[in-house]
Amino acid sequence: MSARLICVAVLGAAASLSACAPVADDAATGTRASAPARACVFQRDIRNFRVSNDERTVYVRGPNKTVYRLEVAGACPELDRTLAIGFAPRGGMNNLCTGDMTRLVFGRSPSAMPCDVRMAGALSPAEIAALPERERP
């Protein structure tokens, strides 16, 4: 192996490890910078849902009145008329966490096709309050 290739490999490994390193405290503000927690919800814990006016977002209510945002990937015909939803998680998982993709299944119509959605995460209380009444689960 050439010295140049070894150097590139070592630098790449160092960069990868630095991405996993803990974040230091900010001395100026006294706060600690961190990534938002990964929010997860089990399908059995979903109590209610609403579809946004543009049909690009589905809001679901989980335990403790937590509201999660699911972003629709692509077309999802008949979503606005559905009375119930379910998930067909990929990999056999029965929970859905921030960043996960799943299939949203709904409707009784033979033409109702499952839709791909991505879990965008939990909304803050302020974001929930800012939702239009029609979109709030």
Side-chain angles (χ1 to χ4, degrees), residues 71-97:
E71 297 171 343
V72 177
C76 197
E78 299 185 31
L79 182 60
D80 63 332
R81 294 186 299 268
T82 190
L83 299 176
I85 62 171
F87 301 107
R90 298 184 181 178
M93 302 295 289
N94 61 359
N95 66 335
L96 189 60
C97 297

PDB file of all heavy atoms in Angstrom, residues 71-97:
ATOM      1  N   GLU A  71     -44.195  12.768   6.958  1.00  0.00           N
ATOM      2  CA  GLU A  71     -44.151  13.436   5.656  1.00  0.00           C
ATOM      3  C   GLU A  71     -44.425  12.419   4.560  1.00  0.00           C
ATOM      4  O   GLU A  71     -43.755  11.392   4.477  1.00  0.00           O
ATOM      5  CB  GLU A  71     -42.784  14.085   5.450  1.00  0.00           C
ATOM      6  CG  GLU A  71     -42.503  15.170   6.471  1.00  0.00           C
ATOM      7  CD  GLU A  71     -41.075  15.666   6.430  1.00  0.00           C
ATOM      8  OE1 GLU A  71     -40.196  14.989   5.847  1.00  0.00           O
ATOM      9  OE2 GLU A  71     -40.836  16.741   6.991  1.00  0.00           O
ATOM     10  N   VAL A  72     -45.403  12.713   3.716  1.00  0.00           N
ATOM     11  CA  VAL A  72     -45.785  11.823   2.622  1.00  0.00           C
ATOM     12  C   VAL A  72     -44.756  11.956   1.503  1.00  0.00           C
ATOM     13  O   VAL A  72     -44.403  13.059   1.096  1.00  0.00           O
ATOM     14  CB  VAL A  72     -47.200  12.164   2.107  1.00  0.00           C
ATOM     15  CG1 VAL A  72     -47.574  11.286   0.929  1.00  0.00           C
ATOM     16  CG2 VAL A  72     -48.221  12.042   3.233  1.00  0.00           C
ATOM     17  N   ALA A  73     -44.276  10.807   1.024  1.00  0.00           N
ATOM     18  CA  ALA A  73     -43.293  10.783  -0.066  1.00  0.00           C
ATOM     19  C   ALA A  73     -44.010  10.374  -1.344  1.00  0.00           C
ATOM     20  O   ALA A  73     -44.367   9.223  -1.520  1.00  0.00           O
ATOM     21  CB  ALA A  73     -42.169   9.811   0.253  1.00  0.00           C
ATOM     22  N   GLY A  74     -44.271  11.319  -2.217  1.00  0.00           N
ATOM     23  CA  GLY A  74     -44.959  11.014  -3.470  1.00  0.00           C
ATOM     24  C   GLY A  74     -46.460  11.170  -3.357  1.00  0.00           C
ATOM     25  O   GLY A  74     -46.982  11.700  -2.382  1.00  0.00           O
ATOM     26  N   ALA A  75     -47.156  10.669  -4.370  1.00  0.00           N
ATOM     27  CA  ALA A  75     -48.617  10.783  -4.410  1.00  0.00           C
ATOM     28  C   ALA A  75     -49.254   9.787  -3.455  1.00  0.00           C
ATOM     29  O   ALA A  75     -48.765   8.679  -3.270  1.00  0.00           O
ATOM     30  CB  ALA A  75     -49.113  10.525  -5.828  1.00  0.00           C
ATOM     31  N   CYS A  76     -50.353  10.196  -2.863  1.00  0.00           N
ATOM     32  CA  CYS A  76     -51.074   9.329  -1.936  1.00  0.00           C
ATOM     33  C   CYS A  76     -52.576   9.568  -2.130  1.00  0.00           C
ATOM     34  O   CYS A  76     -53.225  10.214  -1.312  1.00  0.00           O
ATOM     35  CB  CYS A  76     -50.642   9.624  -0.511  1.00  0.00           C
ATOM     36  SG  CYS A  76     -51.063   8.341   0.653  1.00  0.00           S
ATOM     37  N   PRO A  77     -53.139   9.046  -3.244  1.00  0.00           N
ATOM     38  CA  PRO A  77     -54.545   9.289  -3.528  1.00  0.00           C
ATOM     39  C   PRO A  77     -55.454   8.712  -2.451  1.00  0.00           C
ATOM     40  O   PRO A  77     -55.139   7.705  -1.831  1.00  0.00           O
ATOM     41  CB  PRO A  77     -54.783   8.593  -4.866  1.00  0.00           C
ATOM     42  CG  PRO A  77     -53.529   7.902  -5.223  1.00  0.00           C
ATOM     43  CD  PRO A  77     -52.490   8.208  -4.207  1.00  0.00           C
ATOM     44  N   GLU A  78     -56.546   9.381  -2.223  1.00  0.00           N
ATOM     45  CA  GLU A  78     -57.585   8.982  -1.272  1.00  0.00           C
ATOM     46  C   GLU A  78     -57.195   9.183   0.192  1.00  0.00           C
ATOM     47  O   GLU A  78     -57.964   8.837   1.078  1.00  0.00           O
ATOM     48  CB  GLU A  78     -58.021   7.527  -1.495  1.00  0.00           C
ATOM     49  CG  GLU A  78     -58.617   7.272  -2.851  1.00  0.00           C
ATOM     50  CD  GLU A  78     -59.137   5.846  -2.992  1.00  0.00           C
ATOM     51  OE1 GLU A  78     -59.579   5.258  -1.991  1.00  0.00           O
ATOM     52  OE2 GLU A  78     -59.088   5.327  -4.112  1.00  0.00           O
ATOM     53  N   LEU A  79     -56.019   9.718   0.466  1.00  0.00           N
ATOM     54  CA  LEU A  79     -55.599   9.929   1.848  1.00  0.00           C
ATOM     55  C   LEU A  79     -56.536  10.885   2.570  1.00  0.00           C
ATOM     56  O   LEU A  79     -56.835  10.705   3.742  1.00  0.00           O
ATOM     57  CB  LEU A  79     -54.161  10.449   1.893  1.00  0.00           C
ATOM     58  CG  LEU A  79     -53.561  10.677   3.281  1.00  0.00           C
ATOM     59  CD1 LEU A  79     -53.549   9.379   4.086  1.00  0.00           C
ATOM     60  CD2 LEU A  79     -52.162  11.232   3.157  1.00  0.00           C
ATOM     61  N   ASP A  80     -57.034  11.879   1.858  1.00  0.00           N
ATOM     62  CA  ASP A  80     -57.899  12.879   2.478  1.00  0.00           C
ATOM     63  C   ASP A  80     -59.266  12.324   2.880  1.00  0.00           C
ATOM     64  O   ASP A  80     -59.976  12.925   3.660  1.00  0.00           O
ATOM     65  CB  ASP A  80     -58.069  14.087   1.558  1.00  0.00           C
ATOM     66  CG  ASP A  80     -58.750  13.727   0.254  1.00  0.00           C
ATOM     67  OD1 ASP A  80     -58.622  12.567  -0.186  1.00  0.00           O
ATOM     68  OD2 ASP A  80     -59.390  14.605  -0.339  1.00  0.00           O
ATOM     69  N   ARG A  81     -59.631  11.155   2.387  1.00  0.00           N
ATOM     70  CA  ARG A  81     -60.960  10.601   2.697  1.00  0.00           C
ATOM     71  C   ARG A  81     -60.909   9.388   3.621  1.00  0.00           C
ATOM     72  O   ARG A  81     -61.921   8.755   3.861  1.00  0.00           O
ATOM     73  CB  ARG A  81     -61.651  10.208   1.393  1.00  0.00           C
ATOM     74  CG  ARG A  81     -61.971  11.399   0.513  1.00  0.00           C
ATOM     75  CD  ARG A  81     -62.793  11.007  -0.698  1.00  0.00           C
ATOM     76  NE  ARG A  81     -62.124  10.059  -1.573  1.00  0.00           N
ATOM     77  CZ  ARG A  81     -61.367  10.391  -2.612  1.00  0.00           C
ATOM     78  NH1 ARG A  81     -61.182  11.659  -2.895  1.00  0.00           N
ATOM     79  NH2 ARG A  81     -60.808   9.472  -3.365  1.00  0.00           N
ATOM     80  N   THR A  82     -59.742   9.057   4.125  1.00  0.00           N
ATOM     81  CA  THR A  82     -59.631   7.853   4.938  1.00  0.00           C
ATOM     82  C   THR A  82     -60.112   8.069   6.373  1.00  0.00           C
ATOM     83  O   THR A  82     -60.019   9.177   6.901  1.00  0.00           O
ATOM     84  CB  THR A  82     -58.185   7.317   4.937  1.00  0.00           C
ATOM     85  OG1 THR A  82     -58.170   6.046   5.536  1.00  0.00           O
ATOM     86  CG2 THR A  82     -57.248   8.244   5.664  1.00  0.00           C
ATOM     87  N   LEU A  83     -60.648   7.017   6.959  1.00  0.00           N
ATOM     88  CA  LEU A  83     -61.136   7.080   8.336  1.00  0.00           C
ATOM     89  C   LEU A  83     -60.212   6.360   9.315  1.00  0.00           C
ATOM     90  O   LEU A  83     -60.355   6.520  10.522  1.00  0.00           O
ATOM     91  CB  LEU A  83     -62.542   6.471   8.420  1.00  0.00           C
ATOM     92  CG  LEU A  83     -63.599   7.169   7.566  1.00  0.00           C
ATOM     93  CD1 LEU A  83     -64.919   6.412   7.654  1.00  0.00           C
ATOM     94  CD2 LEU A  83     -63.770   8.616   7.990  1.00  0.00           C
ATOM     95  N   ALA A  84     -59.301   5.566   8.803  1.00  0.00           N
ATOM     96  CA  ALA A  84     -58.362   4.827   9.658  1.00  0.00           C
ATOM     97  C   ALA A  84     -57.054   4.637   8.910  1.00  0.00           C
ATOM     98  O   ALA A  84     -57.029   4.564   7.680  1.00  0.00           O
ATOM     99  CB  ALA A  84     -58.951   3.476  10.036  1.00  0.00           C
ATOM    100  N   ILE A  85     -55.958   4.574   9.670  1.00  0.00           N
ATOM    101  CA  ILE A  85     -54.648   4.328   9.076  1.00  0.00           C
ATOM    102  C   ILE A  85     -53.933   3.238   9.855  1.00  0.00           C
ATOM    103  O   ILE A  85     -54.263   2.943  10.995  1.00  0.00           O
ATOM    104  CB  ILE A  85     -53.764   5.600   9.044  1.00  0.00           C
ATOM    105  CG1 ILE A  85     -53.493   6.109  10.462  1.00  0.00           C
ATOM    106  CG2 ILE A  85     -54.370   6.666   8.162  1.00  0.00           C
ATOM    107  CD1 ILE A  85     -52.464   7.222  10.533  1.00  0.00           C
ATOM    108  N   GLY A  86     -52.950   2.658   9.222  1.00  0.00           N
ATOM    109  CA  GLY A  86     -52.067   1.692   9.864  1.00  0.00           C
ATOM    110  C   GLY A  86     -50.714   1.782   9.199  1.00  0.00           C
ATOM    111  O   GLY A  86     -50.547   2.444   8.176  1.00  0.00           O
ATOM    112  N   PHE A  87     -49.734   1.116   9.784  1.00  0.00           N
ATOM    113  CA  PHE A  87     -48.386   1.137   9.241  1.00  0.00           C
ATOM    114  C   PHE A  87     -47.938  -0.263   8.896  1.00  0.00           C
ATOM    115  O   PHE A  87     -48.304  -1.223   9.557  1.00  0.00           O
ATOM    116  CB  PHE A  87     -47.406   1.739  10.252  1.00  0.00           C
ATOM    117  CG  PHE A  87     -47.755   3.123  10.662  1.00  0.00           C
ATOM    118  CD1 PHE A  87     -48.270   3.381  11.909  1.00  0.00           C
ATOM    119  CD2 PHE A  87     -47.588   4.175   9.790  1.00  0.00           C
ATOM    120  CE1 PHE A  87     -48.607   4.660  12.289  1.00  0.00           C
ATOM    121  CE2 PHE A  87     -47.921   5.459  10.151  1.00  0.00           C
ATOM    122  CZ  PHE A  87     -48.430   5.700  11.415  1.00  0.00           C
ATOM    123  N   ALA A  88     -47.169  -0.354   7.859  1.00  0.00           N
ATOM    124  CA  ALA A  88     -46.498  -1.602   7.487  1.00  0.00           C
ATOM    125  C   ALA A  88     -45.006  -1.311   7.575  1.00  0.00           C
ATOM    126  O   ALA A  88     -44.360  -1.026   6.561  1.00  0.00           O
ATOM    127  CB  ALA A  88     -46.911  -2.036   6.087  1.00  0.00           C
ATOM    128  N   PRO A  89     -44.445  -1.332   8.798  1.00  0.00           N
ATOM    129  CA  PRO A  89     -43.051  -0.949   8.975  1.00  0.00           C
ATOM    130  C   PRO A  89     -42.101  -1.855   8.212  1.00  0.00           C
ATOM    131  O   PRO A  89     -42.358  -3.040   8.046  1.00  0.00           O
ATOM    132  CB  PRO A  89     -42.820  -1.087  10.478  1.00  0.00           C
ATOM    133  CG  PRO A  89     -44.169  -1.118  11.085  1.00  0.00           C
ATOM    134  CD  PRO A  89     -45.085  -1.689  10.044  1.00  0.00           C
ATOM    135  N   ARG A  90     -41.030  -1.275   7.766  1.00  0.00           N
ATOM    136  CA  ARG A  90     -40.015  -2.036   7.041  1.00  0.00           C
ATOM    137  C   ARG A  90     -39.135  -2.752   8.055  1.00  0.00           C
ATOM    138  O   ARG A  90     -38.827  -2.228   9.108  1.00  0.00           O
ATOM    139  CB  ARG A  90     -39.195  -1.105   6.182  1.00  0.00           C
ATOM    140  CG  ARG A  90     -40.108  -0.466   5.169  1.00  0.00           C
ATOM    141  CD  ARG A  90     -39.397   0.406   4.216  1.00  0.00           C
ATOM    142  NE  ARG A  90     -40.425   0.954   3.319  1.00  0.00           N
ATOM    143  CZ  ARG A  90     -40.183   1.783   2.376  1.00  0.00           C
ATOM    144  NH1 ARG A  90     -38.978   2.201   2.170  1.00  0.00           N
ATOM    145  NH2 ARG A  90     -41.161   2.225   1.619  1.00  0.00           N
ATOM    146  N   GLY A  91     -38.762  -3.960   7.746  1.00  0.00           N
ATOM    147  CA  GLY A  91     -37.889  -4.720   8.630  1.00  0.00           C
ATOM    148  C   GLY A  91     -38.615  -5.349   9.802  1.00  0.00           C
ATOM    149  O   GLY A  91     -37.985  -5.795  10.746  1.00  0.00           O
ATOM    150  N   GLY A  92     -39.942  -5.368   9.779  1.00  0.00           N
ATOM    151  CA  GLY A  92     -40.695  -6.021  10.834  1.00  0.00           C
ATOM    152  C   GLY A  92     -40.771  -5.266  12.144  1.00  0.00           C
ATOM    153  O   GLY A  92     -41.225  -5.802  13.141  1.00  0.00           O
ATOM    154  N   MET A  93     -40.312  -4.031  12.170  1.00  0.00           N
ATOM    155  CA  MET A  93     -40.355  -3.251  13.408  1.00  0.00           C
ATOM    156  C   MET A  93     -41.789  -2.800  13.677  1.00  0.00           C
ATOM    157  O   MET A  93     -42.547  -2.558  12.757  1.00  0.00           O
ATOM    158  CB  MET A  93     -39.451  -2.024  13.292  1.00  0.00           C
ATOM    159  CG  MET A  93     -37.998  -2.352  12.992  1.00  0.00           C
ATOM    160  SD  MET A  93     -37.193  -3.251  14.299  1.00  0.00           S
ATOM    161  CE  MET A  93     -37.071  -1.995  15.533  1.00  0.00           C
ATOM    162  N   ASN A  94     -42.153  -2.705  14.953  1.00  0.00           N
ATOM    163  CA  ASN A  94     -43.501  -2.249  15.270  1.00  0.00           C
ATOM    164  C   ASN A  94     -43.493  -0.845  15.859  1.00  0.00           C
ATOM    165  O   ASN A  94     -44.475  -0.410  16.425  1.00  0.00           O
ATOM    166  CB  ASN A  94     -44.207  -3.245  16.189  1.00  0.00           C
ATOM    167  CG  ASN A  94     -43.486  -3.414  17.502  1.00  0.00           C
ATOM    168  OD1 ASN A  94     -42.445  -2.808  17.739  1.00  0.00           O
ATOM    169  ND2 ASN A  94     -44.036  -4.240  18.363  1.00  0.00           N
ATOM    170  N   ASN A  95     -42.363  -0.166  15.748  1.00  0.00           N
ATOM    171  CA  ASN A  95     -42.325   1.230  16.162  1.00  0.00           C
ATOM    172  C   ASN A  95     -41.784   2.070  15.017  1.00  0.00           C
ATOM    173  O   ASN A  95     -41.219   1.562  14.058  1.00  0.00           O
ATOM    174  CB  ASN A  95     -41.494   1.419  17.426  1.00  0.00           C
ATOM    175  CG  ASN A  95     -40.020   1.124  17.209  1.00  0.00           C
ATOM    176  OD1 ASN A  95     -39.641   0.383  16.321  1.00  0.00           O
ATOM    177  ND2 ASN A  95     -39.188   1.690  18.048  1.00  0.00           N
ATOM    178  N   LEU A  96     -41.994   3.357  15.118  1.00  0.00           N
ATOM    179  CA  LEU A  96     -41.594   4.296  14.089  1.00  0.00           C
ATOM    180  C   LEU A  96     -40.820   5.418  14.776  1.00  0.00           C
ATOM    181  O   LEU A  96     -41.342   6.041  15.706  1.00  0.00           O
ATOM    182  CB  LEU A  96     -42.838   4.825  13.391  1.00  0.00           C
ATOM    183  CG  LEU A  96     -42.677   5.660  12.141  1.00  0.00           C
ATOM    184  CD1 LEU A  96     -41.951   4.879  11.056  1.00  0.00           C
ATOM    185  CD2 LEU A  96     -44.033   6.092  11.632  1.00  0.00           C
ATOM    186  N   CYS A  97     -39.585   5.651  14.339  1.00  0.00           N
ATOM    187  CA  CYS A  97     -38.732   6.668  14.956  1.00  0.00           C
ATOM    188  C   CYS A  97     -38.351   7.733  13.938  1.00  0.00           C
ATOM    189  O   CYS A  97     -38.420   7.507  12.727  1.00  0.00           O
ATOM    190  CB  CYS A  97     -37.467   6.021  15.509  1.00  0.00           C
ATOM    191  SG  CYS A  97     -37.776   4.834  16.824  1.00  0.00           S
TER     192      CYS A  97
END
